[in-house]
Amino acid sequence: MSTYVYGITHASHALLVKDVDGVGDPPRPVRVLREGELAAIVSDAPEELRPKRRDLLAHQRVLDAAGEAGVVLPIRFASVSPTDETVTTVLAERADHLLERLRTLEGKAEYNLKANHNEETVLQVVVADNDEIRSLAEANRRAGGGSQEDKVRLGEMIAAALQVREAADADMLQRELGPSAEAVSAAPSSTGWLANLSFLIDHGSATRFLEAVDQLRRQHPHLELRVNGPLPPYSFVDDASEHAEGTAEAFEAAAE
């Protein structure tokens, strides 16, 4: 039977995963494979595995439980290796690199910040900050709404100003919050948010980081900010883990 891999950690950690259900229906028992100074958190892999909510949450719960004992390198959901022996071989061959990554992430967690505009409030900000938009809006109001041409022109001006504001606010968030983090990872702009930022935060700095987010909420009421964390540091494990597939080569790539 193939082996489902959740994450990698130190062999010395007293992992709290025995009573945590793994993926699958029925859930597969979670176990630990040790090789030298490293350990892989695994279970038997279900024959069919799709990104259903139940299994996604199970994957996360295993990592959360493992993380209570210390740092864990999270492996992407649905990473499967042919056998236990393949997993331990990867641990042996990649030991130096994996140990270095564990040292880098020790005592840290990921906090994800998503930001969007409050449509009504940001419109007031844009109009207040732009003399041309404000003048045209006032002229249209006095003219009972203005001509169709003026309405279209005003709409285009507002849309352009909002786009500029989105970019400026995204830069501002990273600039203001970045100093609190060990590292910052920005998701592509196509995610549907004006900013989707992940911050690698030392446990001792978490309160200061969250207070900084609250201060930005108060200072910029046109922004809607959502924070999720602490999380396993998915965004700060090597990029190769984003391409894990159901083969031995894929698990090896995930551990690079």
Side-chain angles (χ1 to χ4, degrees):
M1 177 172 287
S2 56
T3 303
Y4 185 98
V5 185
Y6 299 87
I8 300 167
T9 188
H10 292 289
S12 59
H13 285 169
L15 294 167
L16 308 175
V17 295
K18 289 185 178 180
D19 297 326
V20 181
D21 290 335
V23 297
D25 186 16
R28 271 51 174 180
V30 179
R31 49 196 173 83
V32 178
L33 300 176
R34 288 182 169 83
E35 176 64 36
E37 298 180 61
L38 293 167
I41 306 153
V42 305
S43 68
D44 291 345
E47 292 184 5
E48 293 186 8
L49 185 64
R50 296 184 176 87
K52 296 180 179 178
R53 176 177 172 81
R54 178 193 64 222
D55 287 326
L56 290 167
L57 290 176
H59 184 94
Q60 184 67 46
R61 282 195 299 269
V62 172
L63 288 171
D64 288 343
E68 294 181 19
V71 63
V72 176
L73 298 181
I75 301 300
R76 183 185 176 186
F77 176 79
S79 293
V80 177
S81 194
T83 64
D84 286 0
E85 289 72 21
T86 305
V87 176
T88 54
T89 296
V90 171
L91 295 183
E93 292 179 349
R94 306 284 180 175
D96 290 344
H97 178 75
L98 293 169
L99 289 167
E100 186 276 329
R101 295 306 300 150
L102 287 166
R103 284 191 292 270
T104 298
L105 297 176
E106 185 74 49
K108 302 175 181 67
E110 178 172 337
Y111 285 77
N112 176 256
L113 173 79
K114 291 183 173 67
N116 254 337
H117 281 151
N118 178 296
E119 292 184 7
E120 182 176 347
T121 307
V122 75
L123 183 59
Q124 295 172 359
V125 171
V126 164
V127 172
D129 288 349
N130 191 301
D131 292 340
E132 189 176 2
I133 289 176
R134 191 167 59 253
S135 296
L136 181 56
E138 178 61 21
N140 285 357
R141 186 188 66 79
R142 290 196 303 268
S147 67
Q148 182 63 27
E149 181 180 350
D150 285 339
K151 290 178 181 178
V152 170
R153 180 176 169 230
L154 178 61
E156 291 175 343
M157 290 171 61
I158 290 174
L162 288 173
Q163 190 172 18
V164 171
R165 187 79 198 195
E166 285 186 354
D169 284 336
D171 289 342
M172 179 273 294
L173 289 170
Q174 188 162 344
R175 184 175 63 253
E176 293 294 325
L177 296 173
S180 301
E182 300 291 325
V184 182
S185 176
S189 58
S190 60
T191 57
W193 304 88
L194 72 85
N196 185 353
L197 303 169
S198 291
F199 298 87
L200 185 64
I201 304 293
D202 186 274
H203 292 328
S205 302
T207 299
R208 184 166 67 251
F209 172 78
L210 294 173
E211 288 174 348
V213 174
D214 285 339
Q215 184 175 357
L216 288 173
R217 285 195 181 101
R218 293 190 296 270
Q219 293 174 340
H220 305 280
H222 67 286
L223 287 174
E224 296 177 347
L225 304 178
R226 304 181 187 181
V227 178
N228 190 17
L231 302 168
Y234 286 104
S235 300
F236 304 96
V237 179
D238 297 322
D239 293 342
S241 65
E242 293 299 316
H243 306 290
E245 302 292 345
T247 65
E249 291 80 9
F251 172 67
E252 187 171 346
E256 287 184 351

